[in-house]
Amino acid sequence: MPSLVPAALRYADQVARSGSIQRAAKELNVAASAINRQIIQLEGILGVPLFERVARGMRLTPAGDAVVTLARRWHADERRAAADLQQLQGIHQGHVRIVAMDSHVNGFLPDVVQQLAREHPRIALEIEIGSTDAAGSALIGGTADIAAVFNLSPRRELHVLWSAELPFGCVVAPHHPLARERSISMQEAVAYPIALQSRALMIRRYLETRHGWLFTEGQKVVETNSLQLVKSLARSGDYIAFTSELDAAPELIDGSLTFIPVRDKGAEPQTVSIAIDGRKPISRIGRIVAQTLTDNIQRTLARVQLERSL
């Protein structure tokens, strides 16, 4: 990196250290005539001599001593600035392990990867897809740095960097009989076949706890651990699926699914969170990745809500 300290100051400093222009020239690997010319020009600008030319070399004058002190202070500031720049460069390189949900794969996650590759190409990502329970365990066990998950249960070891509430509802195809409803009740929803997510996901546990009657015999239900299959069944128009706007964001944005909030009293909103292990500080590159995740989720939700308002 080229020095930010003017050449005349650097040369004057080295002459003061070396005691002569010839020795300074050898130290700097610069022609003695160039050093002498720079010092004479600086003396001319300042209007005072910086050195006494003596038989054995060069000796600082009081004015020269003040200028060399300034030069050395600039050198120190330059070194600190260079260290700061190196540190700033260092935060853009490293390895971050993320745990995300199945629905994120064809949602905001590709945009996160592409944005980081474009803006911070030295950050290496390792992305694992798992359940909320698996994500929490990975953070606590040290096998993940950041989790982007739904319905994270509060735990003392976990720290939530950002969280947002998502209305609880269901998705249906645009030609489904419920598609034009502004909201529905659970009783209205269960009049139609349901595609259910597996018990590994929090939304299913919520349904079992609050609406256990959904699972009575005779109710037409398809159960799967694949959210992609759940959404595909909903797109067919033959099923409804209980989920969040973020789970189905790509389909809501492209119009292949419609979101309908559930209006039942006590229907709890879902949550999406960016979380870390609260027992240790997050790294600077971790903060970059966490903020990128947050920004992309917020943009995705804003697009979904814009589509709903049209």
Side-chain angles (χ1 to χ4, degrees):
M1 174 179 170
S3 178
L4 300 177
V5 180
L9 291 179
R10 289 187 281 114
Y11 293 168
D13 180 27
Q14 189 59 52
V15 169
R17 293 176 188 275
S18 302
S20 78
I21 288 177
Q22 294 297 331
R23 286 193 290 271
K26 290 180 181 179
E27 292 290 335
L28 295 173
N29 195 27
V30 176
S33 60
I35 293 177
N36 189 51
R37 185 168 57 251
Q38 288 280 351
I39 290 175
I40 291 172
Q41 288 177 352
L42 185 58
E43 289 177 327
I45 292 170
L46 297 175
V48 293
L50 302 180
F51 292 92
E52 293 179 20
R53 274 73 173 174
V54 297
R56 295 187 177 180
M58 306 281 281
R59 186 168 61 203
L60 283 171
T61 65
D65 186 63
V67 168
V68 167
T69 298
L70 173 64
R72 290 173 182 173
R73 187 179 302 128
W74 281 20
H75 270 300
D77 289 341
E78 182 184 49
R79 286 193 293 270
R80 282 192 291 270
D84 289 342
L85 289 172
Q86 289 175 349
Q87 186 176 22
L88 286 172
Q89 289 175 340
I91 70 172
H92 296 293
Q93 60 185 26
H95 184 266
V96 177
R97 300 164 298 178
I98 302 171
V99 181
M101 310 291 286
D102 180 38
S103 62
H104 300 164
V105 172
N106 70 336
F108 64 85
L109 203 52
D111 292 336
V112 169
V113 174
Q114 291 168 7
Q115 181 180 342
L116 288 171
R118 184 174 62 252
E119 298 177 2
H120 307 285
R122 295 184 179 181
I123 295 180
L125 297 177
E126 179 182 339
I127 303 173
E128 192 79 21
I129 301 303
S131 66
T132 298
D133 290 342
S137 298
L139 288 177
I140 294 169
T143 59
D145 303 305
I146 303 170
V149 293
F150 292 111
N151 303 321
L152 183 67
S153 299
R155 296 180 67 168
R156 183 175 55 191
E157 303 94 334
L158 301 180
H159 174 63
V160 175
L161 296 173
W162 174 84
S163 184
E165 289 190 345
L166 307 170
F168 176 64
C170 68
V171 291
V172 298
H175 57 278
H176 191 278
L178 293 175
R180 294 188 178 183
E181 299 294 334
R182 297 187 65 84
S183 66
I184 60 170
S185 67
M186 292 295 288
Q187 287 286 355
E188 291 171 326
V190 298
Y192 301 90
I194 301 171
L196 280 174
Q197 299 178 49
S198 72
R199 291 179 177 83
L201 299 177
M202 289 292 183
I203 193 168
R204 169 63 182 275
R205 298 180 208 173
Y206 166 78
L207 288 171
E208 288 185 338
T209 301
R210 293 298 187 93
H211 307 282
W213 47 270
L214 283 171
F215 306 95
T216 57
E217 290 187 15
Q219 177 64 41
K220 188 174 181 181
V221 170
V222 173
E223 180 179 334
T224 176
N225 65 353
S226 169
L227 178 64
Q228 306 312 317
L229 179 56
V230 166
K231 293 192 291 185
S232 178
L233 292 171
R235 286 197 304 270
S236 73
D238 296 326
Y239 291 84
I240 70 168
F242 293 104
T243 188
S244 71
E245 290 175 303
L246 190 58
D247 261 338
E251 294 80 10
L252 297 175
I253 291 169
D254 69 24
S256 60
L257 285 176
T258 298
F259 182 81
I260 311 168
V262 170
R263 63 172 178 266
D264 289 38
K265 184 178 180 180
E268 294 183 359
Q270 307 298 291
T271 61
V272 58
S273 303
I274 304 298
I276 60 172
D277 183 347
R279 300 168 298 179
K280 58 186 180 183
I282 186 172
S283 67
R284 291 188 177 183
I285 59 170
R287 286 198 177 277
I288 290 173
V289 173
Q291 189 61 53
T292 304
L293 284 164
T294 300
D295 292 345
N296 276 272
I297 293 173
Q298 290 177 322
R299 280 196 292 269
T300 300
L301 290 173
R303 289 183 64 191
V304 169
Q305 289 157 11
L306 178 62
E307 288 297 322
R308 283 185 62 192
S309 66
L310 296 178

